[in-house]
Amino acid sequence: FDPLLIESKTPATVVLMLSSPENEVLAKACDALYKFASKGDENKLTLLSLGALEHLYKLLSHEDPIVRRNALMVLGIMASNHDVKKLLRELDVTNSLISQLAPEEDVVIHEFATLCLAHMAVEYTTKVKIFEQGGLEPLIRLLGSPDPDVKKNSVECIYLLVQDFQNRAAVRELNVIPPLLGLLESEYPVIQLLALQTLEVISKDRETRIILGENKGLDCLLNILENNELSDLHIETLAVLGNCLEDVHTLQLIQLTGGLKKLLSFLDVSTVPDIQKNATKAITKAAYDAEIRKILHWEEVEKFLLSLLESTNDEVKVAASQAISAMCEHIDSKSVLGLQGIPQLVKLLSTDNEEVKEAAVTALTNLTTASPRNASVVAEAEGIEPLMNTLNAQRDGAVANAIAVLTNLSLQEPSRVSIQSHGIMSALAGPLRSTNSQVQSKAAFAVAAFGCDADARTELRNAGGLGPLIELLRSKNEEVRRNACWAVMVCASDELTAVELCSLGALDILEEINLSTKHKNKFSEAALEKLLDNNLSQKYSRMGYLSSSNIITNGFYDCGQVKHGKKFLSLEELSKQELTDRRAIIFINAK
């Protein structure tokens, strides 16, 4: 047949040419489709609707390397489209793509096969297939490719794959660390960035952190931090180092080589809020381990955290406050942070930012718990008034922690008197009505702490706080219920409050609690006893006896035994009743 020259500008015609038995026609058709698909998503969808994908998939196994290469280029460029990816998954192309990663294949084939896999590895099902079909090993091998595009696509694909923990263990076994560390020296920032992001994900596993240390990876990371020209990589580098801080073994390695000092001095001079925030979050996570807290204290991490409280960035202040909370578990840190940090944290209570307020007051709770010295520092820093104002904060965490700090302060008489003069019991009436169990628990506990003062009990009674306190006795939360019982026991110390508590139904609820083996506690039994001992008329009516320590005074009356569930009437209510033929009510009025 004499050569026939066809000129076509219609994609449909070119797609038909993909069925040709001639290699040259196939190669040229694929080349034309690659240029067409490169122009945008609309063109990719046009080719999809014309059925080009099925033909291109078949060409992946074509014997001619140029046809195979050109077909793969079209698939690689089209795979960025969501609908194309969907059909590629249905066609199950992963195995064919992985087979294109063989060492003898052309670098362009490697480039577009890895590009296609990187686009598809976003989906969990494709991740599983790549793992099962042995795709990890060739991808890791291609991290050492001389071509930067192949490196970039391979590391991006690995980054997406290691989001799944199964693949994290697999890449570790396949020795991914050395080639990833090698990519940190690439001249292309995008490759360095992807390598760091991959290292950040896989270094969440302890075994990987150990391998990272053995391969001098920590030095590589610290070198990046020391290089100001690589400042665009500092945030990701810190994220990897942050994971390493969580491991005692790795942290000791960093400390022994002077790396921890380098890291903290770098953080000290950095003014980038994201770097400060991320580094501080890493310290917070690490500080949950006692051994790590000890190491961080030796390296004087407290200085760094205290300096961040002065930051103008709210997110940094939050992160610093949270790290201070975590470091408080170390007794020496608690002392250092208390003395220097409390005045700064007290200032933060007056901020308009609710998140900062909550983080600061939480740090104050941790600093003042079991530390009379730090509690004194809060009072000296004029912290009582801002703490009282924080009881009106919008966030429940801030309210709960403000109550906790005030309760910690109440153990010292001067602070207690000052807090009561600020009207603590009236202020607690609101939190007692909260729907948040943490706020309820702390509020009830505070009532128990401050309620041993007669004036404070009167204040709570006048503020209408007894009603919501009694409601907390019904709580399904064990801690709330226990603290409410304790508060009722303390408040029942005087007759007026005891009588009001009884009239609001406290006795019935406490009796109900004490009948339940699950809900009963030592405070519920003590509260019931205290209520009756300070309301002898009701005790005699309920129990039919008084103990030797119960002394009858003016106002006692005997109205006979009241059946369970029936209301115990006050003298006033009884006096309004009509005369009956029932036994007379005896009323003691010696005056």
Side-chain angles (χ1 to χ4, degrees):
F1 198 93
D2 291 333
L4 173 67
L5 293 174
I6 297 173
E7 214 174 274
S8 173
K9 288 191 175 182
T10 313
T13 306
V14 183
V15 169
L16 287 173
M17 289 163 71
L18 293 176
S19 302
S20 169
E22 294 180 72
N23 291 356
E24 197 179 344
V25 172
L26 290 171
K28 284 182 177 176
C30 287
D31 190 43
L33 292 176
Y34 173 74
K35 288 170 185 168
F36 179 72
S38 301
K39 289 176 184 173
D41 251 22
E42 207 176 312
N43 290 4
K44 289 169 192 167
L45 289 169
T46 301
L47 294 180
L48 180 67
S49 65
L50 291 168
L53 232 57
E54 291 85 343
H55 293 295
L56 291 164
Y57 170 52
K58 283 176 189 168
L59 294 178
L60 288 183
S61 51
H62 199 279
E63 58 192 19
D64 186 283
I66 295 170
V67 171
R68 205 165 71 247
R69 182 194 70 191
N70 290 6
L72 193 52
M73 285 171 71
V74 189
L75 281 178
I77 206 81
M78 284 182 71
S80 63
N81 180 275
H82 174 74
D83 296 323
V84 171
K85 270 190 283 206
K86 195 177 172 188
L87 183 54
L88 286 173
R89 276 200 307 278
E90 288 169 17
L91 292 169
D92 199 11
V93 300
T94 48
N95 215 359
S96 296
L97 291 169
I98 291 164
S99 66
Q100 310 297 325
L101 304 180
E104 64 273 10
E105 290 291 358
D106 183 76
V107 74
V108 179
I109 285 182
H110 284 165
E111 179 188 341
F112 285 93
T114 51
L115 177 66
C116 202
L117 284 168
H119 283 313
M120 291 182 69
V122 176
E123 292 289 334
Y124 175 74
T125 48
T126 308
K127 286 185 178 113
V128 173
K129 279 187 178 168
I130 293 172
F131 172 74
E132 288 173 350
Q133 291 165 359
L136 283 172
E137 194 170 358
L139 284 166
I140 290 170
R141 177 172 34 79
L142 288 174
L143 293 178
S145 166
D147 185 87
D149 287 317
V150 175
K151 282 181 180 174
K152 184 255 175 193
N153 296 339
S154 301
V155 72
E156 186 172 359
C157 193
I158 292 167
Y159 168 68
L160 293 166
L161 291 170
V162 295
Q163 304 300 320
D164 178 40
F165 77 94
Q166 187 181 19
N167 288 326
R168 289 210 287 268
V171 295
R172 184 173 65 242
E173 295 300 318
L174 292 166
N175 204 21
V176 75
I177 299 287
L180 279 176
L181 291 173
L183 294 183
L184 296 182
E185 291 170 20
S186 168
E187 60 186 288
Y188 299 98
V190 66
I191 292 176
Q192 293 174 306
L193 195 62
L194 284 163
L196 282 168
Q197 286 171 338
T198 308
L199 282 169
E200 195 236 323
V201 176
I202 63 174
S203 62
K204 287 174 182 169
D205 299 341
R206 186 174 183 272
E207 295 85 348
T208 305
R209 294 196 287 263
I210 292 166
I211 298 167
L212 197 59
E214 289 168 355
N215 283 274
K216 297 195 166 39
L218 303 170
D219 293 338
C220 284
L221 295 165
L222 288 164
N223 289 341
I224 291 173
L225 287 185
E226 287 179 320
N227 188 340
N228 288 330
E229 288 177 19
L230 299 176
S231 60
D232 53 333
L233 301 175
H234 285 172
I235 290 171
E236 284 72 21
T237 305
L238 274 169
V240 185
L241 284 167
N243 289 339
C244 296
L245 293 182
E246 289 180 50
D247 184 63
V248 178
H249 171 80
T250 317
L251 187 61
Q252 283 169 338
L253 195 65
I254 302 173
Q255 189 193 21
L256 286 170
T257 56
L260 195 52
K261 262 197 169 52
K262 270 187 201 173
L263 176 59
L264 290 172
S265 60
F266 163 77
L267 296 174
D268 262 339
V269 295
S270 175
T271 53
V272 181
D274 274 351
I275 286 177
Q276 294 173 325
K277 178 186 73 180
N278 294 344
T280 312
K281 281 183 176 177
I283 289 167
T284 305
K285 277 171 79 179
Y288 286 115
D289 182 284
E291 278 303 305
I292 291 175
R293 283 197 297 274
K294 205 183 286 181
I295 295 169
L296 290 171
H297 173 65
W298 284 336
E299 295 295 343
E300 298 181 321
V301 75
E302 297 89 355
K303 284 182 184 174
F304 167 61
L305 298 177
L306 291 168
S307 70
L308 293 187
L309 290 178
E310 302 284 356
S311 169
T312 53
N313 183 287
D314 285 339
E315 288 185 353
V316 172
K317 288 177 194 166
V318 169
S321 301
Q322 288 168 343
I324 286 169
S325 286
M327 283 301 295
C328 276
E329 292 294 315
H330 188 278
I331 192 148
D332 293 333
S333 284
K334 192 172 192 170
S335 178
V336 172
L337 291 165
L339 209 56
Q340 296 168 45
I342 285 173
Q344 290 169 274
L345 290 165
V346 166
K347 278 182 201 165
L348 295 182
L349 296 181
S350 303
T351 179
D352 292 332
N353 185 304
E354 292 292 321
E355 199 179 347
V356 172
K357 198 180 288 183
E358 182 179 11
V361 76
T362 306
L364 286 170
T365 303
N366 291 304
L367 284 165
T368 55
T369 300
S371 175
R373 183 176 172 227
N374 282 349
S376 298
V377 178
V378 173
E380 287 159 18
E382 297 180 355
I384 290 171
E385 195 167 332
L387 282 165
M388 290 294 296
N389 295 337
T390 308
L391 296 180
N392 300 313
Q394 290 166 23
R395 294 169 81 106
D396 288 331
V399 176
N401 280 292
I403 297 169
V405 182
L406 289 164
T407 309
N408 289 342
L409 265 62
S410 73
L411 297 171
Q412 295 174 333
E413 195 57 33
S415 296
R416 179 193 198 81
V417 171
S418 175
I419 294 165
Q420 281 177 201
S421 72
H422 280 84
I424 180 66
M425 286 304 213
S426 302
L428 286 171
L432 285 171
R433 292 184 176 89
S434 170
T435 53
N436 180 286
S437 58
Q438 193 193 9
V439 174
Q440 293 172 342
S441 173
K442 300 288 184 196
F445 189 81
V447 168
F450 289 100
C452 36
D453 179 84
D455 292 339
R457 292 194 294 273
T458 305
E459 187 188 321
L460 184 68
R461 208 167 57 238
N462 294 340
L466 295 180
L469 176 63
I470 289 167
E471 280 307 305
L472 296 185
L473 294 173
R474 301 181 193 273
S475 173
K476 289 182 169 63
N477 182 295
E478 192 182 344
E479 190 184 310
V480 172
R481 209 169 47 245
R482 188 183 66 238
N483 287 351
C485 289
W486 189 359
V488 167
M489 182 192 83
V490 172
C491 288
S493 297
D494 68 73
E495 196 174 339
L496 275 174
T497 313
V499 168
E500 188 162 340
L501 284 165
C502 290
S503 70
L504 290 165
L507 271 178
D508 294 329
I509 301 169
L510 286 167
E511 279 185 339
E512 203 179 305
I513 290 171
N514 290 334
L515 288 171
S516 163
T517 50
K518 189 181 173 186
H519 290 163
K520 183 171 73 170
N521 59 68
K522 59 182 180 178
F523 291 116
S524 65
E525 291 172 326
L528 182 65
E529 198 178 318
K530 196 76 170 283
L531 270 177
L532 290 172
D533 281 345
N534 281 300
N535 192 358
L536 294 179
S537 301
Q538 192 151 358
K539 180 175 182 177
Y540 191 60
S541 174
R542 276 187 178 243
M543 317 288 283
Y545 67 86
L546 296 177
S547 59
S548 56
S549 59
N550 296 147
I551 309 299
I552 292 172
T553 57
N554 283 328
F556 175 86
Y557 59 98
D558 169 19
C559 59
Q561 200 155 7
V562 174
K563 287 179 184 173
H564 188 71
K566 293 275 185 184
K567 189 187 174 192
F568 178 80
L569 300 175
S570 67
L571 263 181
E572 195 180 350
E573 287 167 324
L574 289 167
S575 67
K576 288 175 183 172
Q577 286 185 341
E578 295 292 318
L579 284 172
T580 65
D581 57 354
R582 292 186 65 202
R583 186 170 74 77
I585 293 161
I586 298 167
F587 172 49
I588 308 291
N589 188 14
K591 284 180 183 174

